[in-house]
Amino acid sequence: MAQPRLLPPAENAYPYPLLIKRLLMSGPRYNPDQTIHYANRSHYTYSTLVERIHRLANALTRAGVQPGDTVAVMDWDTPRYLECFFAVPMLGAVLHTVNVRLSPEQIVYTMNHAEDDLVLVHDDFLPLLAGVKDEIRTVKGYIQLTDNDRPADTSLPVLGEYEALLAQAGTEFDFPDFDENSVATTFYTTGTTGNPKGVYFSHRQLVLHTLSMTGALAAYDEMPLLRSSSVYMPVTPMFHVHAWGVPYAATLLGIKQVYPGRYEPERLVELIKTHKVTFSHCVPTIMQMMMATESIKTTDLSNWHVLIGGSALTKGLCEAGAKLGIRLYTGYGMSETCPLLSTTHLQPEDLERPLEQQTDQRVKTGIAVPMVELDIVDPNGRPVPHDGEAKGEVVVRAPWLTQSYFKEPEKGEELWQGGWLHTGDVGSMEPNHTLVIKDRIKDVIKTGGEWLSSLDLENLISQHPAVAAAAVVGIPDEKWGERPYALVVLKPDADASPEDIQAHLQQYVARGDINKWAIPEQIRFVDDIPKTSVGKINKKLIRDQLN
Amino acid sequence: MAQPRLLPPAENAYPYPLLIKRLLMSGPRYNPDQTIHYANRSHYTYSTLVERIHRLANALTRAGVQPGDTVAVMDWDTPRYLECFFAVPMLGAVLHTVNVRLSPEQIVYTMNHAEDDLVLVHDDFLPLLAGVKDEIRTVKGYIQLTDNDRPADTSLPVLGEYEALLAQAGTEFDFPDFDENSVATTFYTTGTTGNPKGVYFSHRQLVLHTLSMTGALAAYDEMPLLRSSSVYMPVTPMFHVHAWGVPYAATLLGIKQVYPGRYEPERLVELIKTHKVTFSHCVPTIMQMMMATESIKTTDLSNWHVLIGGSALTKGLCEAGAKLGIRLYTGYGMSETCPLLSTTHLQPEDLERPLEQQTDQRVKTGIAVPMVELDIVDPNGRPVPHDGEAKGEVVVRAPWLTQSYFKEPEKGEELWQGGWLHTGDVGSMEPNHTLVIKDRIKDVIKTGGEWLSSLDLENLISQHPAVAAAAVVGIPDEKWGERPYALVVLKPDADASPEDIQAHLQQYVARGDINKWAIPEQIRFVDDIPKTSVGKINKKLIRDQLN
């Protein structure tokens, strides 16, 4: 078989590995005096950012960090964290962004599993670490992060305070070149069972994610999120998928950045107002909390664009946002995907309508961004038609997907099948390539050879006037494989029978929204629906209790 | 020495090589019905583009093209050429974009040197090829491109006409994966002496150039060239550095594209008007020709943005453009650099001024785009201060620079030195990282240990009211190393003596624009200044004649 032509590398040419240090050149060059803010506490310029990254690399090196080591960070969203995003991988070490919302036991597990060598830890998390310090096995030292004049007292063996160490460190560090496939970052994802799993991303992957994200969030007039005049403030934590990788893209462009510290809804709204923030990303829960603040009513949000991810952007939330003038967009991805895969896609005719009439489009999972290949497949991995109806598991290829789970490749066997990353999400694809996620594949009800979305059914049941909440799971059925089973919480003082709920669903059958066989035979009224630690319906527990 | 952590590739994960086929996914997905125009002759949609690229790959395969083969194209700027930009490299072959402005002898030389296997040739170039066909050594067949109902007659062994072959070909081609470092394209650069030299770019390089260009030309509000609502028409030929790579970026985004065919100034202006073109790139000569048309006076050009490259954007041209409402920007690069290195950089305060007062900034070579590292160095390769005064050779690193000259690595020895590509340009760097190119290093006059720009001196001499044109070269001088020597063409019926010219220059010395030692002792009046085939002053010939 004939092969494409490969020429030998030229002797004198520079091979240019794709390293994170390359993302730090253009921003400070375009805009050396542009500012990076830590809430309303302090700010500095891009020139200073570069200097501090060099200082940090010197401080870490003096603290014993070498290429190949792992440096963990436990901090709120701060410019310090941004400095770590660059300095740690740039010197050849691995940045472990610790999920500070995990239990102390889980945090210890991830620190031991990642083999952390050094931990940068904020005052607020010292008591947590002090309580488990005897179980931490590989850490050789701690650097303390503080927002006060005096760092908090601790029994941990602290090497010094971050700002003091930076002040003592030199302003020049010669960041080396190395293989672009070297691991740059790692963090842990949690499921409903088992220990957290470590995903990891290489320099190459993060550079490619950054370049593609920059184009995707800058070039489309329907979604002008990342442009030179944008003001960026993350509202999904920096420990979670590098705040969706946006800090890298914002820094590449040299735009104004605001790091909010802890997420307190009133203060977030205040920061949007003070700094004229134009772009954030956020999960629905935090968005709801911000919308519930008093101050949001007196804030002009007509220039605030928010990419919603983590869970689905519901029509209700999107409409509530539209009423406040907020432009909400769906972003789709997961920890394993670095994360960006797709975003809302609006046509010019959508944009001509009032914001409140654009919600049908905005809540769709959207269209794959450049360089991403998305498809839906049946259980045998065969493509499912893109007709907006047929459902399949969402599979993906992109140059920035985690290659496996750290030290547990066997856990990655479900993740990668046939050369595609399997997301575990079920969706349909419209003929115009717009993806609509319907459910998690574990929660979808396989009945009579069809896939029935538990989420769709929950939404429809919830629209009965007496219903406060609903959860639907599949239970084994000899004839149909599975049948839907509904748990329903009624509103206080409201009343309804299973037959009432079935009659309510019958109207959607009449309208053609669902098939007749989608109506559950079994509907049970309960006081409460089991939830996971992050507030999602715990369907695994419900199924376990039913079996 | 400790090393960064490399993890073994995961067994089931897809490695995702950076291949040109990946640039063709998102445009048709975002905008399947968006159109691509061939002047005012015809147009089709992005969906059709994809289908035609698959058909072309099948047609080329049937014509015997295999991975590793080289396919040459001789065409005007057409959607056909865009199809070749994708189909040829996507099937693993090398695309040779033939410079149709070279002499027949040079064209034969490049075709033999590139080892072309198949040639796609437009009717207009058949006589040229027929005249030299016995000297063409490796070509096994020709495919004819025509804009007429009947292809022109020719004595060349033609396999078929392009459209007929596409019509017969299947609509599905399974484009393979292969090493991202495989050669995708090649073309030849000409100097003032010797044979043309072949540069070549890999799939990886073109993908990275496209991704970075997309961000650079989309994200900056000062220069909104490539956004979803843009309409793109190239006015530098597709055979020359892939029309600066913009067709790849435009296709990635799915924006409207207009291919003008031959460059006839009146027709180009007509196309801008008809198609509401918002973005072109152009060399100064063609821009001047377009500005000299009658129709431009009645065309609204206030939304036409033009990146000027190839030669310097002069203040005069920039001002003339501003008067017509055209937004001109400098783009800097060369054949060896794929080409994009830097662009104009405007601050918000620049943009607040009327367009005609922005020209000082717009004519500067500008600021390096993301992922590009630019510097200026002295003859020993040491960095020169970025003070806006000191001059050095411009050197560059980027992930998309040619690694060498094809089959002539020895010619690349001057190109790559110490891990930097040496551009052969001399410039200064302002403290804010803005590059200003002053001269070609071969033309700069090294006098008394200083570098004197021949271009600066030519500009100043040209401002004498009697002078029509001027050329300045360095000639050997025992005491100073070199001294400037000026050739001056006077305007018809004008008169001036060498002393007049020297007195004219003296005023710039008084103003501090130049040093006293910059004034040439030797000034000779001539009827004409020798030019190269592309219209540049032939300084090599002038120097040869003087020595």
Side-chain angles (χ1 to χ4, degrees):
Chain A
M1 174 66 192
Q3 288 298 315
R5 193 188 283 239
L6 267 174
L7 290 175
E11 210 172 305
N12 299 318
Y14 176 66
Y16 207 102
L18 301 177
L19 299 176
I20 285 174
K21 67 177 178 180
R22 296 302 181 182
L23 302 177
L24 189 60
M25 301 188 299
S26 52
R29 204 156 57 194
Y30 273 91
N31 244 342
D33 300 327
Q34 180 61 280
T35 47
I36 296 168
H37 296 253
Y38 181 12
N40 284 328
R41 291 168 175 274
S42 59
H43 66 272
Y44 57 64
T45 66
Y46 269 72
S47 298
T48 301
L49 172 70
V50 173
E51 187 192 308
R52 286 174 59 89
I53 288 167
H54 282 252
R55 285 179 183 272
L56 176 55
N58 278 315
L60 292 173
T61 302
R62 199 184 291 181
V65 175
Q66 296 205 335
D69 284 356
T70 299
V71 176
V73 176
M74 296 177 74
D75 195 5
W76 305 112
D77 285 10
T78 66
R80 288 184 299 252
Y81 218 140
L82 180 68
E83 290 153 20
C84 293
F85 271 31
F86 284 95
V88 175
M90 279 166 66
L91 62 81
V94 178
L95 174 70
H96 173 197
T97 58
V98 178
N99 181 344
V100 296
R101 293 197 196 137
L102 295 181
S103 68
E105 294 69 33
Q106 283 182 312
I107 289 177
V108 170
Y109 172 84
T110 66
M111 292 175 81
N112 287 333
H113 191 268
E115 303 170 25
D116 293 344
D117 294 285
L118 181 79
V119 183
L120 280 66
V121 52
H122 187 278
D123 281 352
D124 291 353
F125 308 112
L126 288 172
L128 184 159
L129 281 194
V132 293
K133 71 176 172 186
D134 295 341
E135 296 162 52
I136 301 173
R137 287 198 297 270
T138 58
V139 174
K140 300 173 197 77
Y142 297 84
I143 288 176
Q144 197 167 348
L145 313 172
T146 189
D147 292 321
N148 300 314
D149 291 339
R150 269 191 53 186
D153 291 332
T154 177
S155 61
L156 288 172
V158 167
L159 300 168
E161 187 273 325
Y162 187 88
E163 291 298 335
L165 293 174
L166 257 62
Q168 293 157 19
T171 58
E172 295 282 344
F173 189 92
D174 188 16
F175 289 104
D177 272 6
F178 43 79
D179 191 319
E180 67 187 25
N181 294 306
S182 302
V183 181
T185 64
T186 187
F187 58 88
Y188 286 73
T189 72
T190 49
T192 40
T193 55
N195 279 319
K197 294 174 286 188
V199 300
Y200 53 93
F201 297 98
S202 68
H203 282 256
R204 171 184 162 109
Q205 290 179 319
L206 284 164
V207 167
L208 291 169
H209 185 266
T210 304
L211 292 178
S212 292
M213 168 180 271
T214 305
L217 303 189
Y220 294 98
D221 290 316
E222 56 182 283
M223 205 173 66
L225 303 187
L226 267 181
R227 290 180 175 176
S228 55
S229 55
S230 301
V231 179
Y232 164 62
M233 180 174 84
V235 192
T236 63
M238 298 178 83
F239 66 71
H240 187 236
V241 213
H242 336 100
W244 300 4
V246 184
Y248 285 120
T251 305
L252 180 91
L253 293 175
I255 70 177
K256 180 175 168 182
Q257 304 184 52
V258 181
Y259 289 89
R262 290 190 68 155
Y263 293 168
E264 291 150 4
E266 284 283 359
R267 215 161 53 80
L268 291 172
V269 174
E270 181 61 33
L271 290 171
I272 294 164
K273 194 189 286 192
T274 313
H275 291 290
K276 300 187 170 56
V277 173
T278 65
F279 171 40
S280 298
H281 41 83
C282 191
V283 295
T285 318
I286 304 276
M287 191 73 224
Q288 267 157 345
M289 289 164 66
M290 293 172 74
M291 283 183 183
T293 60
E294 267 307 304
S295 50
I296 207 159
K297 294 173 194 159
T298 58
T299 307
D300 175 13
L301 298 167
S302 60
N303 203 24
W304 191 38
H305 302 256
V306 187
L307 202 58
I308 296 286
S311 322
L313 170 60
T314 62
K315 199 141 184 289
L317 184 65
C318 194
E319 281 170 355
K323 279 190 187 124
L324 291 164
I326 308 170
R327 279 160 176 75
L328 297 176
Y329 309 82
T330 296
Y332 173 58
M334 48 201 272
S335 298
E336 286 81 351
T337 66
C338 199
L340 192 64
L341 297 178
S342 81
T343 63
T344 286
H345 182 36
L346 300 166
Q347 299 291 347
E349 57 268 27
D350 295 320
L351 288 168
E352 278 165 20
R353 290 202 296 269
L355 190 54
E356 292 174 45
Q357 290 172 32
Q358 299 172 15
T359 52
D360 281 342
Q361 280 305 313
R362 289 179 184 268
V363 300
K364 288 180 185 167
T365 317
I367 196 156
V369 299
M371 303 300 284
V372 171
E373 196 179 358
L374 263 185
D375 209 346
I376 49 174
V377 298
D378 71 15
N380 298 313
R382 284 185 300 248
V384 163
H386 294 189
D387 59 8
E389 294 289 333
K391 294 188 196 74
E393 184 179 6
V394 180
V395 296
V396 60
R397 287 175 162 177
W400 50 73
L401 309 181
T402 196
Q403 296 293 287
S404 183
Y405 293 109
F406 182 51
K407 296 198 292 189
E408 297 176 304
E410 71 285 359
K411 289 190 181 167
E413 276 169 26
E414 269 188 40
L415 190 67
W416 281 100
Q417 298 168 43
W420 292 83
L421 186 144
H422 283 241
T423 62
D425 287 322
V426 167
S428 63
M429 191 82 83
E430 298 181 351
N432 69 356
H433 310 290
T434 300
L435 176 68
V436 180
I437 300 285
K438 299 284 188 177
D439 212 341
R440 290 292 296 167
I441 199 165
K442 287 176 183 162
D443 299 332
V444 89
I445 298 145
K446 291 99 181 168
T447 185
E450 300 280 346
W451 281 4
L452 177 62
S453 161
S454 65
L455 292 184
D456 281 355
L457 216 43
E458 288 160 8
N459 278 334
L460 297 180
I461 295 173
S462 299
Q463 288 177 39
H464 187 285
V467 172
V472 178
V473 298
I475 52 165
D477 181 275
E478 229 168 79
K479 184 170 176 193
W480 302 107
E482 284 186 341
R483 288 297 299 149
Y485 185 105
L487 297 188
V488 175
V489 181
L490 292 176
K491 288 180 183 163
D493 305 323
D495 196 27
S497 67
E499 291 72 27
D500 292 340
I501 303 295
Q502 286 160 343
H504 166 75
L505 290 174
Q506 198 62 48
Q507 64 175 306
Y508 299 109
V509 176
R511 276 169 31 183
D513 291 346
I514 51 171
N515 286 296
K516 201 180 147 192
W517 45 259
I519 299 180
E521 292 80 20
Q522 301 194 61
I523 296 173
R524 195 212 297 179
F525 294 99
V526 292
D527 291 336
D528 207 10
I529 286 170
K531 297 272 172 68
T532 68
S533 62
V534 294
K536 294 182 184 176
I537 299 175
N538 193 336
K539 298 201 177 173
K540 186 176 181 307
L541 183 65
I542 296 173
R543 280 190 295 263
D544 289 350
Q545 288 173 346
L546 287 174
N547 290 330
Chain B
M1 175 63 191
Q3 287 298 316
R5 193 189 283 240
L6 267 174
L7 290 175
E11 209 172 305
N12 300 317
Y14 176 67
Y16 207 105
L18 300 177
L19 299 176
I20 284 173
K21 67 176 177 179
R22 297 302 181 181
L23 303 177
L24 189 60
M25 301 188 299
S26 53
R29 204 157 57 195
Y30 272 90
N31 245 342
D33 300 328
Q34 179 62 278
T35 47
I36 295 168
H37 297 253
Y38 181 12
N40 285 328
R41 292 168 174 274
S42 59
H43 66 273
Y44 58 65
T45 66
Y46 270 71
S47 298
T48 302
L49 172 69
V50 173
E51 187 192 306
R52 286 174 60 89
I53 288 168
H54 282 252
R55 284 180 184 273
L56 176 54
N58 278 314
L60 292 172
T61 302
R62 200 184 292 180
V65 175
Q66 296 206 335
D69 283 356
T70 299
V71 176
V73 176
M74 298 177 73
D75 195 6
W76 306 111
D77 286 9
T78 67
R80 287 184 299 252
Y81 218 140
L82 181 67
E83 291 153 19
C84 294
F85 270 33
F86 285 94
V88 175
M90 278 166 65
L91 64 81
V94 178
L95 174 71
H96 174 197
T97 58
V98 178
N99 182 344
V100 296
R101 294 198 196 135
L102 295 181
S103 68
E105 294 69 31
Q106 283 182 311
I107 288 177
V108 170
Y109 172 83
T110 66
M111 293 175 79
N112 287 333
H113 191 268
E115 302 170 25
D116 292 344
D117 296 285
L118 182 78
V119 182
L120 279 66
V121 52
H122 187 277
D123 281 351
D124 291 354
F125 309 112
L126 287 172
L128 183 158
L129 281 194
V132 293
K133 70 176 173 188
D134 296 340
E135 296 163 50
I136 301 174
R137 287 198 298 268
T138 58
V139 174
K140 301 172 197 78
Y142 298 83
I143 289 177
Q144 197 169 348
L145 313 173
T146 188
D147 294 319
N148 300 317
D149 292 339
R150 271 190 52 185
D153 291 332
T154 177
S155 61
L156 288 171
V158 167
L159 300 169
E161 187 272 326
Y162 187 87
E163 292 298 335
L165 293 174
L166 257 61
Q168 294 157 18
T171 58
E172 296 283 342
F173 189 92
D174 187 16
F175 290 103
D177 272 7
F178 43 80
D179 192 319
E180 67 188 27
N181 294 307
S182 301
V183 181
T185 63
T186 187
F187 58 88
Y188 286 74
T189 72
T190 48
T192 40
T193 54
N195 280 319
K197 295 174 285 187
V199 299
Y200 53 93
F201 298 98
S202 68
H203 283 256
R204 171 185 162 109
Q205 291 179 319
L206 284 164
V207 168
L208 290 170
H209 184 266
T210 304
L211 292 179
S212 292
M213 168 179 271
T214 305
L217 303 189
Y220 294 97
D221 290 316
E222 57 182 281
M223 206 173 67
L225 303 187
L226 266 181
R227 291 180 175 175
S228 54
S229 55
S230 301
V231 180
Y232 164 62
M233 181 174 84
V235 192
T236 63
M238 298 178 82
F239 67 71
H240 187 236
V241 215
H242 335 100
W244 300 4
V246 184
Y248 286 119
T251 305
L252 180 90
L253 292 175
I255 70 177
K256 180 175 168 182
Q257 302 184 52
V258 181
Y259 289 89
R262 290 190 68 153
Y263 293 168
E264 291 150 6
E266 284 282 359
R267 217 162 49 84
L268 290 171
V269 174
E270 180 62 32
L271 290 172
I272 293 163
K273 195 189 286 193
T274 313
H275 293 289
K276 300 184 170 57
V277 173
T278 65
F279 171 40
S280 297
H281 41 82
C282 191
V283 296
T285 319
I286 304 275
M287 191 73 225
Q288 268 156 344
M289 289 163 67
M290 292 172 74
M291 283 183 184
T293 59
E294 267 308 303
S295 50
I296 207 159
K297 294 172 194 157
T298 59
T299 306
D300 175 13
L301 298 167
S302 60
N303 203 25
W304 190 39
H305 302 256
V306 187
L307 202 58
I308 296 286
S311 320
L313 170 61
T314 62
K315 202 144 181 293
L317 184 64
C318 194
E319 280 170 356
K323 278 189 190 126
L324 290 164
I326 307 170
R327 278 160 178 76
L328 297 175
Y329 309 82
T330 295
Y332 173 57
M334 48 201 273
S335 297
E336 286 83 350
T337 66
C338 199
L340 191 63
L341 296 178
S342 81
T343 63
T344 285
H345 181 37
L346 301 166
Q347 299 291 347
E349 57 267 28
D350 294 320
L351 288 168
E352 279 164 20
R353 290 201 297 267
L355 190 55
E356 291 175 48
Q357 290 172 33
Q358 299 171 15
T359 50
D360 281 342
Q361 279 305 311
R362 288 179 184 269
V363 300
K364 288 180 185 168
T365 317
I367 195 156
V369 299
M371 302 301 284
V372 171
E373 195 179 358
L374 263 185
D375 209 346
I376 49 173
V377 299
D378 70 16
N380 298 313
R382 284 184 301 246
V384 163
H386 294 191
D387 58 8
E389 293 289 332
K391 293 190 196 73
E393 185 179 6
V394 180
V395 296
V396 62
R397 287 175 162 178
W400 49 73
L401 309 181
T402 195
Q403 297 292 287
S404 184
Y405 293 109
F406 183 50
K407 297 198 293 188
E408 296 176 304
E410 70 285 0
K411 289 191 181 167
E413 276 168 26
E414 269 187 40
L415 190 65
W416 282 99
Q417 296 168 43
W420 291 84
L421 186 144
H422 284 240
T423 61
D425 286 322
V426 167
S428 62
M429 190 81 84
E430 299 181 351
N432 68 356
H433 312 289
T434 300
L435 176 69
V436 180
I437 300 284
K438 301 283 188 178
D439 212 342
R440 290 292 294 167
I441 199 164
K442 288 177 182 162
D443 298 332
V444 90
I445 298 144
K446 290 100 181 167
T447 183
E450 301 279 346
W451 281 5
L452 176 62
S453 161
S454 65
L455 291 185
D456 281 355
L457 216 44
E458 286 160 9
N459 277 334
L460 297 180
I461 294 172
S462 298
Q463 288 175 39
H464 187 285
V467 172
V472 178
V473 298
I475 52 164
D477 182 275
E478 229 168 81
K479 184 168 176 194
W480 302 107
E482 284 187 343
R483 288 296 301 149
Y485 185 105
L487 298 188
V488 175
V489 180
L490 292 176
K491 288 180 183 162
D493 305 323
D495 195 27
S497 69
E499 291 71 26
D500 293 338
I501 303 294
Q502 286 161 340
H504 166 75
L505 289 174
Q506 197 64 47
Q507 66 177 307
Y508 300 108
V509 176
R511 275 168 34 181
D513 290 348
I514 53 171
N515 287 295
K516 200 177 148 194
W517 45 260
I519 299 180
E521 292 81 19
Q522 301 195 62
I523 296 173
R524 194 210 298 179
F525 294 98
V526 292
D527 292 335
D528 207 9
I529 287 171
K531 297 273 172 67
T532 68
S533 61
V534 295
K536 294 181 185 177
I537 298 174
N538 193 337
K539 297 200 176 174
K540 186 175 182 307
L541 183 65
I542 297 173
R543 280 189 296 263
D544 288 350
Q545 290 174 346
L546 287 172
N547 289 330

